[in-house]
Amino acid sequence: MEFINRPYAPAGGFAASNLINIDDFPEAETNYVLDLAEYYARFLKAGKLPPARLAGKTQINLFFEDSTRTNLSFELAGRRLGADVLSVPVAASSVNKGESLIDTTQTLVAMGAHALIVRHREPRVHDELAKRIACPVINAGDGVREHPTQALLDAATIRSVYGTLKGLVIAICGDVKHSRVAASGAVLFSRLGAEVRFVGPAHLMPAPYQMPQARRFDTLADGIAGADIVMALRMQFERMEEGGKDAATGYFETYGLTHDTLKLAKPDARVMHPGPMNRGVEIDGALADDERRSLILKQVFYGVATRMAVLDALITKGAAF
Ligand code: ASP
Ligand code: CP
């Protein structure tokens, strides 16, 4: 395993103060974080601890929606960098006594938090928090709107395999309408030079004015023809209206990703999925488990490295020490 040199921060220092929208990181900041993610990935692959850049810093995770990957990878990321990491047990916290989100977060900052990682079902609450508290706010998912660290970790994963996103065709399939993963991913992947497509039935597509950078396809054959990467999405039943479960009826037969349907894409196309998967609904288990075609566990691995990079960049602002 080859180590690589630590990348240089953008000239003038790391400019972004928060990560709420994927566009909060301009080009130089995005490239720096992706390079830093690869730098940290080398340590993780070698089973070595990197320099404790966040020793003496406190990171607090505050998740109002369920999570396995995002919550735990942020926790590991902070620990790997030497931070003290706390996760608020929301279900057993004073939130249940009526404490507001602002009061809760101000309380955490008064305890000494240097970064708050927040997942919440309400779109845009993070903007309000960022105005009111004096430490970086990192969006770990807000309703259907954005999941910026997922987009960054997906880009880091793709770069680790293809070297670049430039010129790649990335087809995002399924419940695009309710997916914050698709929303942030489409913006970032296009900015990094990929052609992004959305594939799925009309009732799972966002309104035409939303995410105009992606071409839309209602058949799998057209949508993934020539694709380098095919990303499956879970049906976000929890965000659908009453009767939303019907969205899954017949879906696998028409849009499900299998070894067979993947033949419609480029011969060596890879599959991705942000997780959690519903095997047999949007993706076949045998394809998800096929290491030659599936990048799904690599995405999880890069989740830790990328979140190390995001925490380091926002807390230390890229300072050399
Ligand atoms: N874990 C991702 C999210 O929180 C995708 C999903 O839940 O399907 O948006
Ligand atoms: N991909 C993702 O955000 O997973 P979790 O919902 O488990 O955090």
Side-chain angles (χ1 to χ4, degrees):
M1 174 54 49
E2 270 184 47
F3 286 86
I4 53 176
N5 290 333
R6 190 184 164 83
Y8 290 108
F14 191 81
S17 309
N18 303 292
L19 178 55
I20 297 173
N21 308 297
I22 193 63
D23 279 340
D24 289 347
F25 283 5
E27 189 181 348
E29 278 66 21
T30 299
N31 290 334
Y32 172 64
V33 164
L34 293 177
D35 290 344
L36 200 52
E38 188 54 43
Y39 166 79
Y40 283 132
R42 304 295 172 107
F43 284 92
L44 299 179
K45 279 179 197 159
K48 296 237 179 320
L49 271 184
R53 298 262 303 169
L54 300 186
K57 306 290 184 191
T58 302
Q59 166 200 329
I60 304 189
N61 293 0
L62 180 60
F63 278 58
F64 290 88
E65 283 188 328
D66 297 343
S67 171
T68 298
R69 279 147 286 270
T70 314
N71 196 354
L72 294 179
S73 64
F74 261 118
E75 186 164 334
L76 266 177
R79 288 185 199 280
R80 295 277 184 264
L81 292 171
D84 293 318
V85 183
L86 300 178
S87 287
V88 179
V90 170
S93 73
S94 288
V95 167
N96 293 331
K97 300 179 194 171
E99 189 167 51
S100 71
L101 180 60
I102 292 289
D103 287 335
T104 300
T105 51
Q106 283 179 336
T107 300
L108 301 176
V109 175
M111 286 179 190
H114 295 93
L116 284 187
I117 325 300
V118 183
R119 174 173 281 192
H120 202 283
R121 69 193 310 275
E122 285 303 317
R124 303 220 169 266
V125 289
H126 299 76
D127 294 311
E128 199 48 39
L129 295 182
K131 277 189 224 142
R132 303 278 293 273
I133 64 173
C135 77
V137 174
I138 301 176
N139 182 357
D142 63 337
V144 297
R145 213 182 63 83
E146 284 248 17
H147 194 349
T149 60
Q150 180 74 44
L152 289 165
L153 77 87
D154 287 342
T157 306
I158 296 169
R159 279 190 5 158
S160 76
V161 176
Y162 293 88
T164 179
L165 276 76
K166 239 182 221 122
L168 296 182
V169 176
I170 303 177
I172 304 179
C173 304
D175 183 8
V176 181
K177 180 176 180 177
H178 301 99
S179 173
R180 54 197 179 199
V181 171
S184 294
V187 172
L188 182 64
F189 305 158
S190 310
R191 261 175 50 197
L192 294 172
E195 175 192 331
V196 179
R197 302 177 183 172
F198 291 156
V199 186
H203 66 279
L204 295 179
M205 282 290 133
Y209 66 87
Q210 289 171 316
M211 300 177 250
Q213 57 277 81
R215 273 173 71 201
R216 290 140 197 251
F217 295 84
D218 61 6
T219 69
L220 195 62
D222 290 342
I224 72 174
D228 298 280
I229 291 166
V230 183
M231 182 184 286
L233 299 173
R234 182 181 64 89
M235 299 271 172
Q236 311 278 296
F237 293 121
E238 69 276 27
R239 304 189 203 292
M240 292 179 189
E241 316 271 289
E242 189 83 19
K245 281 222 177 313
D246 296 345
T249 311
Y251 180 86
F252 187 73
E253 289 69 30
T254 319
Y255 293 98
L257 296 185
T258 64
H259 278 104
D260 228 31
T261 56
L262 197 63
K263 288 183 187 144
L264 299 166
K266 276 202 179 147
D268 55 352
R270 310 296 183 91
V271 288
M272 297 178 72
H273 193 307
M277 284 184 272
N278 285 156
R279 291 167 184 252
V281 178
E282 68 274 6
I283 189 166
D284 182 41
L287 178 61
D289 293 338
D290 180 351
E291 281 176 18
R292 289 171 309 116
R293 310 309 297 270
S294 168
L295 299 179
I296 296 170
L297 293 179
K298 203 179 249 294
Q299 289 172 266
V300 177
F301 171 80
Y302 270 90
V304 179
T306 304
R307 289 171 174 132
M308 289 168 79
V310 167
L311 288 166
D312 181 347
L314 283 172
I315 296 175
T316 74
K317 312 297 283 172
F321 57 87

